Protein backbone atom coordinates (compact mmCIF):
# COMPACT_ATOMS: atom_id res chain seq x y z
CA UNK A 1 0.00 0.00 0.00
CA UNK A 2 2.85 2.38 0.84
CA UNK A 3 4.39 1.62 -2.53
CA UNK A 4 1.11 2.39 -4.25
CA UNK A 5 0.70 5.72 -2.42
CA UNK A 6 4.26 6.67 -3.35
CA UNK A 7 3.54 5.96 -7.00
CA UNK A 8 0.32 7.92 -6.96
CA UNK A 9 2.05 10.92 -5.34
CA UNK A 10 4.89 10.82 -7.83
CA UNK A 11 2.43 10.67 -10.75
CA UNK A 12 0.54 13.60 -9.23
CA UNK A 13 3.70 15.73 -9.06
CA UNK A 14 4.58 14.83 -12.62
CA UNK A 15 1.14 15.76 -13.82
CA UNK A 16 1.43 19.17 -12.17
CA UNK A 17 4.81 19.87 -13.83
CA UNK A 18 6.95 19.49 -10.75
CA UNK A 19 10.17 17.55 -10.84
CA UNK A 20 11.49 15.42 -8.05
CA UNK A 21 14.91 16.83 -8.82
CA UNK A 22 14.06 20.12 -7.10
CA UNK A 23 15.06 18.50 -3.91
CA UNK A 24 18.53 19.44 -2.67
CA UNK A 25 20.59 16.45 -3.71
CA UNK A 26 23.80 15.85 -5.51
CA UNK A 27 23.90 15.31 -9.26
CA UNK A 28 24.53 11.61 -8.79
CA UNK A 29 21.71 11.28 -6.27
CA UNK A 30 19.50 13.28 -8.62
CA UNK A 31 20.08 10.83 -11.46
CA UNK A 32 19.51 7.89 -9.14
CA UNK A 33 16.26 9.33 -7.84
CA UNK A 34 15.07 10.26 -11.34
CA UNK A 35 15.65 6.67 -12.38
CA UNK A 36 13.71 5.43 -9.40
CA UNK A 37 10.90 7.86 -10.14
CA UNK A 38 10.76 6.74 -13.77
CA UNK A 39 10.64 3.09 -12.82
CA UNK A 40 8.04 3.73 -10.12
CA UNK A 41 5.95 5.81 -12.50
CA UNK A 42 6.08 3.13 -15.19
CA UNK A 43 4.93 0.53 -12.69
CA UNK A 44 2.11 2.79 -11.54
CA UNK A 45 1.08 3.58 -15.10
CA UNK A 46 0.57 -0.13 -15.66
CA UNK A 47 -1.81 -0.43 -12.71
CA UNK A 48 -4.96 0.73 -14.58
CA UNK A 49 -4.29 -1.85 -17.30
CA UNK A 50 -3.76 -4.60 -14.73
CA UNK A 51 -6.94 -3.64 -12.88
CA UNK A 52 -8.87 -3.53 -16.15
CA UNK A 53 -7.67 -7.01 -17.12
CA UNK A 54 -8.50 -8.41 -13.70
CA UNK A 55 -11.96 -6.87 -13.87
CA UNK A 56 -12.52 -8.24 -17.37
CA UNK A 57 -11.45 -11.73 -16.31
CA UNK A 58 -13.75 -11.62 -13.30
CA UNK A 59 -16.63 -10.42 -15.48
CA UNK A 60 -16.07 -13.24 -17.98
CA UNK A 61 -15.98 -15.86 -15.23
CA UNK A 62 -19.14 -14.52 -13.59
CA UNK A 63 -20.93 -14.23 -16.94
CA UNK A 64 -20.00 -17.78 -17.86
CA UNK A 65 -21.24 -19.06 -14.53
CA UNK A 66 -24.47 -17.09 -14.85
CA UNK A 67 -25.13 -18.26 -18.40
CA UNK A 68 -24.27 -21.92 -17.85
CA UNK A 69 -27.14 -23.93 -19.34
CA UNK A 70 -28.74 -26.57 -17.15
CA UNK A 71 -30.60 -29.46 -18.80
CA UNK A 72 -33.02 -31.80 -17.08
CA UNK A 73 -31.26 -35.08 -16.26
CA UNK A 74 -34.58 -36.96 -16.49
CA UNK A 75 -35.28 -35.56 -19.95
CA UNK A 76 -31.80 -36.45 -21.17
CA UNK A 77 -32.16 -39.97 -19.76
CA UNK A 78 -35.49 -40.43 -21.54
CA UNK A 79 -34.14 -39.19 -24.89
CA UNK A 80 -31.16 -41.53 -24.69
CA UNK A 81 -33.55 -44.37 -23.84
CA UNK A 82 -35.66 -43.53 -26.90
CA UNK A 83 -32.58 -43.65 -29.09
CA UNK A 84 -31.64 -47.03 -27.64
CA UNK A 85 -35.13 -48.50 -27.95
CA UNK A 86 -36.51 -46.98 -31.16
CA UNK A 87 -33.71 -45.54 -33.32
CA UNK A 88 -32.71 -48.71 -35.15
CA UNK A 89 -30.97 -46.83 -37.97
CA UNK A 90 -28.92 -44.56 -35.72
CA UNK A 91 -30.39 -41.38 -37.15
CA UNK A 92 -30.29 -39.47 -33.86
CA UNK A 93 -27.18 -38.16 -32.09
CA UNK A 94 -28.59 -38.39 -28.56
CA UNK A 95 -25.88 -39.63 -26.19
CA UNK A 96 -23.99 -38.74 -23.03
CA UNK A 97 -21.04 -37.56 -25.13
CA UNK A 98 -23.06 -34.88 -26.96
CA UNK A 99 -24.05 -31.51 -25.51
CA UNK A 100 -27.85 -31.72 -25.05
CA UNK A 101 -28.16 -28.32 -26.69
CA UNK A 102 -26.91 -29.98 -29.89
CA UNK A 103 -29.33 -32.93 -29.81
CA UNK A 104 -31.04 -33.51 -33.15
CA UNK A 105 -34.76 -32.78 -33.44
CA UNK A 106 -35.15 -31.30 -29.94
CA UNK A 107 -36.37 -27.84 -28.96
CA UNK A 108 -35.51 -27.05 -25.35
CA UNK A 109 -37.53 -24.62 -23.25
CA UNK A 110 -36.26 -22.90 -20.10
CA UNK A 111 -38.40 -23.59 -17.02
CA UNK A 112 -37.12 -21.74 -13.94
CA UNK A 113 -33.49 -22.06 -15.02
CA UNK A 114 -33.66 -25.67 -16.19
CA UNK A 115 -34.02 -26.59 -19.86
CA UNK A 116 -36.78 -29.10 -20.55
CA UNK A 117 -37.79 -30.83 -23.76
CA UNK A 118 -40.51 -28.64 -25.26
CA UNK A 119 -40.86 -30.02 -28.79
CA UNK A 120 -39.72 -33.15 -30.63
CA UNK A 121 -39.47 -33.36 -34.42
CA UNK A 122 -38.95 -37.02 -35.28
CA UNK A 123 -40.49 -37.27 -38.74
CA UNK A 124 -39.01 -39.75 -41.23
CA UNK A 125 -36.43 -41.03 -38.72
CA UNK A 126 -37.11 -44.74 -39.15
CA UNK A 127 -38.24 -45.12 -35.55
CA UNK A 128 -39.83 -48.45 -34.72
CA UNK A 129 -41.49 -50.21 -31.82
CA UNK A 130 -43.12 -48.60 -28.80
CA UNK A 131 -42.34 -44.93 -28.24
CA UNK A 132 -42.45 -44.05 -24.54
CA UNK A 133 -42.36 -40.35 -23.71
CA UNK A 134 -42.64 -40.57 -19.94
CA UNK A 135 -40.66 -37.97 -17.94
CA UNK A 136 -41.08 -35.44 -20.76
CA UNK A 137 -43.87 -33.69 -18.88
CA UNK A 138 -43.17 -30.29 -20.47
CA UNK A 139 -43.52 -31.60 -24.02
CA UNK A 140 -46.00 -29.51 -26.01
CA UNK A 141 -45.44 -30.85 -29.53
CA UNK A 142 -44.65 -34.27 -30.91
CA UNK A 143 -44.11 -34.66 -34.64
CA UNK A 144 -43.28 -38.24 -35.53
CA UNK A 145 -44.77 -38.67 -39.00
CA UNK A 146 -44.04 -41.64 -41.20
CA UNK A 147 -42.09 -43.92 -38.95
CA UNK A 148 -42.76 -47.51 -37.97
CA UNK A 149 -44.18 -47.00 -34.51
CA UNK A 150 -46.44 -49.75 -33.23
CA UNK A 151 -47.48 -48.03 -30.00
CA UNK A 152 -47.22 -44.62 -28.38
CA UNK A 153 -47.27 -43.78 -24.67
CA UNK A 154 -48.24 -40.17 -24.00
CA UNK A 155 -50.23 -40.48 -20.77
CA UNK A 156 -47.68 -38.48 -18.77
CA UNK A 157 -47.42 -35.71 -21.38
CA UNK A 158 -50.23 -33.60 -20.01
CA UNK A 159 -48.85 -30.37 -21.51
CA UNK A 160 -49.11 -31.75 -25.05
CA UNK A 161 -50.82 -29.38 -27.50
CA UNK A 162 -49.90 -30.89 -30.88
CA UNK A 163 -49.82 -34.63 -31.54
CA UNK A 164 -48.75 -35.38 -35.10
CA UNK A 165 -48.12 -39.07 -35.82
CA UNK A 166 -49.54 -39.97 -39.25
CA UNK A 167 -48.07 -42.82 -41.26
CA UNK A 168 -47.28 -45.26 -38.44
CA UNK A 169 -48.75 -48.60 -37.36
CA UNK A 170 -50.69 -47.57 -34.29
CA UNK A 171 -53.65 -49.89 -33.55
CA UNK A 172 -54.48 -48.07 -30.30
CA UNK A 173 -53.91 -44.54 -29.00
CA UNK A 174 -54.86 -43.29 -25.54
CA UNK A 175 -55.14 -39.50 -25.35
CA UNK A 176 -57.46 -39.35 -22.35
CA UNK A 177 -54.78 -37.69 -20.19
CA UNK A 178 -53.90 -35.11 -22.83
CA UNK A 179 -56.73 -32.71 -22.12
CA UNK A 180 -54.82 -29.66 -23.41
CA UNK A 181 -54.55 -31.04 -26.95
CA UNK A 182 -55.46 -28.63 -29.72
CA UNK A 183 -54.38 -30.66 -32.72
CA UNK A 184 -54.38 -34.41 -33.45
CA UNK A 185 -53.19 -35.99 -36.68
CA UNK A 186 -53.24 -39.79 -36.73
CA UNK A 187 -53.91 -40.26 -40.44
CA UNK A 188 -52.81 -43.58 -42.00
CA UNK A 189 -52.52 -45.74 -38.92
CA UNK A 190 -54.41 -48.87 -37.88
CA UNK A 191 -56.83 -47.42 -35.35
CA UNK A 192 -60.15 -49.17 -34.86
CA UNK A 193 -61.28 -46.72 -32.19
CA UNK A 194 -60.32 -43.31 -30.83
CA UNK A 195 -61.75 -41.73 -27.70
CA UNK A 196 -61.51 -37.91 -27.78
CA UNK A 197 -64.27 -37.26 -25.26
CA UNK A 198 -61.85 -35.68 -22.77
CA UNK A 199 -60.08 -33.56 -25.37
CA UNK A 200 -62.55 -30.72 -25.15
CA UNK A 201 -60.03 -28.08 -26.27
CA UNK A 202 -59.46 -29.89 -29.57
CA UNK A 203 -59.64 -27.67 -32.64
CA UNK A 204 -58.32 -29.89 -35.43
CA UNK A 205 -58.78 -33.66 -35.76
CA UNK A 206 -57.37 -35.70 -38.64
CA UNK A 207 -58.14 -39.44 -38.43
CA UNK A 208 -58.34 -40.37 -42.10
CA UNK A 209 -57.27 -43.75 -43.47
CA UNK A 210 -57.85 -45.79 -40.35
CA UNK A 211 -60.41 -48.48 -39.54
CA UNK A 212 -62.81 -46.55 -37.35
CA UNK A 213 -66.36 -47.87 -37.12
CA UNK A 214 -67.49 -45.14 -34.72
CA UNK A 215 -66.35 -41.69 -33.63
CA UNK A 216 -67.94 -39.53 -30.94
CA UNK A 217 -67.10 -35.82 -31.29
CA UNK A 218 -70.09 -34.53 -29.32
CA UNK A 219 -67.88 -33.05 -26.58
CA UNK A 220 -65.45 -31.41 -29.00
CA UNK A 221 -67.56 -28.31 -29.36
CA UNK A 222 -64.73 -25.99 -30.49
CA UNK A 223 -63.65 -28.31 -33.29
CA UNK A 224 -62.88 -26.35 -36.44
CA UNK A 225 -61.48 -29.10 -38.70
CA UNK A 226 -62.65 -32.71 -38.90
CA UNK A 227 -61.21 -35.16 -41.42
CA UNK A 228 -62.36 -38.79 -41.18
CA UNK A 229 -61.69 -39.73 -44.80
CA UNK A 230 -61.40 -43.42 -45.62
CA UNK A 231 -62.80 -45.12 -42.52
CA UNK A 232 -65.75 -47.46 -41.94
CA UNK A 233 -68.16 -45.05 -40.31
CA UNK A 234 -71.86 -45.85 -40.83
CA UNK A 235 -72.93 -42.61 -39.15
CA UNK A 236 -71.47 -39.42 -37.70
CA UNK A 237 -73.10 -36.81 -35.48
CA UNK A 238 -71.63 -33.32 -35.98
CA UNK A 239 -74.59 -31.37 -34.64
CA UNK A 240 -72.59 -29.96 -31.71
CA UNK A 241 -69.56 -29.03 -33.82
CA UNK A 242 -70.94 -25.72 -34.97
CA UNK A 243 -67.50 -24.15 -35.52
CA UNK A 244 -66.54 -26.63 -38.24
CA UNK A 245 -65.21 -25.05 -41.41
CA UNK A 246 -63.80 -27.97 -43.41
CA UNK A 247 -65.54 -31.31 -42.93
CA UNK A 248 -64.28 -34.34 -44.82
CA UNK A 249 -66.25 -37.55 -44.41
CA UNK A 250 -65.45 -39.02 -47.83
CA UNK A 251 -64.91 -42.74 -48.28
CA UNK A 252 -67.08 -44.01 -45.42
CA UNK A 253 -70.44 -45.83 -45.20
CA UNK A 254 -72.70 -42.93 -44.33
CA UNK A 255 -76.33 -43.22 -45.38
CA UNK A 256 -77.23 -39.82 -43.93
CA UNK A 257 -75.48 -36.68 -42.68
CA UNK A 258 -77.08 -33.73 -40.91
CA UNK A 259 -75.10 -30.51 -41.36
CA UNK A 260 -77.95 -28.10 -40.67
CA UNK A 261 -76.24 -26.69 -37.56
CA UNK A 262 -72.82 -26.40 -39.17
CA UNK A 263 -73.41 -22.93 -40.55
CA UNK A 264 -69.69 -22.03 -40.59
CA UNK A 265 -68.89 -24.77 -43.11
CA UNK A 266 -66.79 -23.61 -46.04
CA UNK A 267 -65.71 -26.99 -47.44
CA UNK A 268 -67.76 -30.19 -47.33
CA UNK A 269 -66.62 -33.48 -48.84
CA UNK A 270 -69.10 -36.35 -48.65
CA UNK A 271 -67.86 -38.27 -51.71
CA UNK A 272 -67.83 -42.06 -51.71
CA UNK A 273 -70.65 -42.71 -49.25
CA UNK A 274 -74.20 -44.05 -49.53
CA UNK A 275 -76.13 -40.80 -49.20
CA UNK A 276 -79.53 -40.61 -50.83
CA UNK A 277 -80.16 -37.02 -49.74
CA UNK A 278 -78.18 -34.03 -48.53
CA UNK A 279 -79.58 -30.75 -47.21
CA UNK A 280 -77.11 -27.85 -47.43
CA UNK A 281 -79.64 -25.03 -47.33
CA UNK A 282 -78.32 -23.79 -43.97
CA UNK A 283 -74.70 -23.79 -45.10
CA UNK A 284 -74.66 -20.40 -46.76
CA UNK A 285 -70.91 -19.93 -46.23
CA UNK A 286 -70.16 -23.06 -48.25
CA UNK A 287 -67.55 -22.52 -50.97
CA UNK A 288 -66.61 -26.07 -51.97
CA UNK A 289 -68.91 -29.08 -52.09
CA UNK A 290 -67.90 -32.60 -53.14
CA UNK A 291 -70.71 -35.15 -53.47
CA UNK A 292 -69.47 -37.70 -56.04
CA UNK A 293 -70.05 -41.46 -55.76
CA UNK A 294 -73.21 -41.38 -53.68
CA UNK A 295 -76.84 -42.27 -54.40
CA UNK A 296 -78.18 -38.74 -54.65
CA UNK A 297 -81.06 -38.13 -57.05
CA UNK A 298 -81.31 -34.40 -56.35
CA UNK A 299 -79.30 -31.62 -54.72
CA UNK A 300 -80.55 -28.10 -54.01
CA UNK A 301 -77.78 -25.50 -53.80
CA UNK A 302 -79.91 -22.43 -54.42
CA UNK A 303 -79.09 -21.06 -50.96
CA UNK A 304 -75.34 -21.56 -51.39
CA UNK A 305 -74.54 -18.30 -53.14
CA UNK A 306 -70.88 -18.41 -52.05
CA UNK A 307 -70.36 -21.79 -53.72
CA UNK A 308 -67.33 -21.86 -56.01
CA UNK A 309 -66.87 -25.56 -56.64
CA UNK A 310 -69.39 -28.36 -57.01
Amino acid sequence: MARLLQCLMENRYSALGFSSSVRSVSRADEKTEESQIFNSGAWCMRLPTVFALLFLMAFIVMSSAASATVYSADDIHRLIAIKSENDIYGSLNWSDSVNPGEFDCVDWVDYSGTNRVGELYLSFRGLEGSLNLEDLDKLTRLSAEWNGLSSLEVSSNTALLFLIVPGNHLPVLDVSSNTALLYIDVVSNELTALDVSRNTALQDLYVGYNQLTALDVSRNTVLQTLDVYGNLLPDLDVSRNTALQPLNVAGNRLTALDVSRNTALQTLNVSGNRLTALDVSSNTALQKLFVGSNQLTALDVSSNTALQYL
Side-chain angles (χ1 to χ4, degrees):
M1 180 62 71
R3 179 63 168 168
L4 178 58
L5 289 173
Q6 179 187 353
C7 293
L8 292 174
M9 290 298 294
E10 289 172 350
N11 279 346
R12 180 185 176 192
Y13 288 138
S14 297
L16 294 173
F18 292 102
S19 172
S20 298
S21 60
V22 298
R23 281 174 278 181
S24 179
V25 291
S26 66
R27 184 61 179 170
D29 290 340
E30 184 179 321
K31 290 183 178 179
T32 300
E33 187 160 345
E34 285 178 353
S35 177
Q36 291 176 345
I37 292 172
F38 176 80
N39 292 333
S40 299
W43 183 81
C44 289
M45 291 299 288
R46 287 196 296 269
L47 280 176
T49 302
V50 172
F51 285 143
L53 289 173
L54 289 174
F55 177 80
L56 180 59
M57 291 172 63
F59 176 78
I60 292 172
V61 170
M62 288 188 294
S63 298
S64 298
S67 62
T69 305
V70 178
Y71 295 92
S72 166
D74 288 340
D75 286 11
I76 293 172
H77 176 77
R78 173 47 47 194
L79 292 178
I80 293 175
I82 290 173
K83 175 175 175 58
S84 174
E85 297 165 5
N86 307 107
D87 185 18
I88 63 171
Y89 297 107
S91 64
L92 300 170
N93 70 341
W94 303 345
S95 73
D96 290 324
S97 61
V98 177
N99 185 327
E102 298 177 1
F103 277 8
D104 293 333
C105 312
V106 182
D107 274 1
W108 297 90
V109 179
D110 188 312
Y111 285 90
S112 302
T114 300
N115 275 269
R116 305 293 308 277
V117 174
E119 298 183 351
L120 285 176
Y121 296 89
L122 302 173
S123 305
F124 300 97
R125 288 282 171 170
L127 304 182
E128 295 191 3
S130 177
L131 181 60
N132 188 342
L133 299 174
E134 66 178 0
D135 299 325
L136 305 182
D137 57 358
K138 299 299 184 182
L139 186 68
T140 59
R141 182 187 183 102
L142 172 64
S143 296
E145 301 101 311
W146 305 103
N147 285 285
L149 300 176
S150 57
S151 67
L152 177 62
E153 173 56 56
V154 291
S155 60
S156 64
N157 309 108
T158 55
L160 203 59
L161 300 176
F162 299 91
L163 178 59
I164 306 169
V165 289
N168 284 280
H169 305 297
L170 303 176
V172 177
L173 181 62
D174 182 2
V175 291
S176 59
S177 298
N178 311 106
T179 56
L181 274 172
L182 303 175
Y183 187 104
I184 296 177
D185 184 350
V186 290
V187 169
S188 296
N189 276 279
E190 301 171 9
L191 299 174
T192 57
L194 182 65
D195 182 0
V196 291
S197 60
R198 298 192 63 187
N199 308 106
T200 56
L202 199 61
Q203 297 178 10
D204 301 282
L205 177 59
Y206 297 85
V207 293
Y209 290 108
N210 279 281
Q211 301 168 29
L212 301 179
T213 56
L215 181 66
D216 182 0
V217 290
S218 60
R219 299 192 64 186
N220 311 106
T221 56
V222 296
L223 204 61
Q224 298 177 17
T225 303
L226 178 59
D227 188 336
V228 296
Y229 186 99
N231 280 279
L232 306 172
L233 299 175
D235 55 68
L236 182 66
D237 181 2
V238 292
S239 60
R240 301 194 63 188
N241 312 110
T242 57
L244 279 176
Q245 296 179 15
L247 172 61
N248 187 356
V249 297
N252 280 278
R253 299 177 178 179
L254 302 179
T255 57
L257 181 67
D258 181 1
V259 290
S260 60
R261 300 191 62 186
N262 308 104
T263 56
L265 272 181
Q266 297 179 12
T267 301
L268 175 61
N269 188 347
V270 297
S271 302
N273 281 281
R274 302 171 183 177
L275 301 179
T276 57
L278 181 65
D279 182 0
V280 290
S281 59
S282 300
N283 311 106
T284 55
L286 203 60
Q287 298 176 14
K288 296 180 181 180
L289 177 60
F290 304 86
V291 296
S293 300
N294 277 282
Q295 300 171 21
L296 298 173
T297 57
L299 180 65
D300 182 1
V301 292
S302 59
S303 300
N304 309 104
T305 56
L307 199 62
Q308 299 174 9
Y309 185 92
L310 175 60

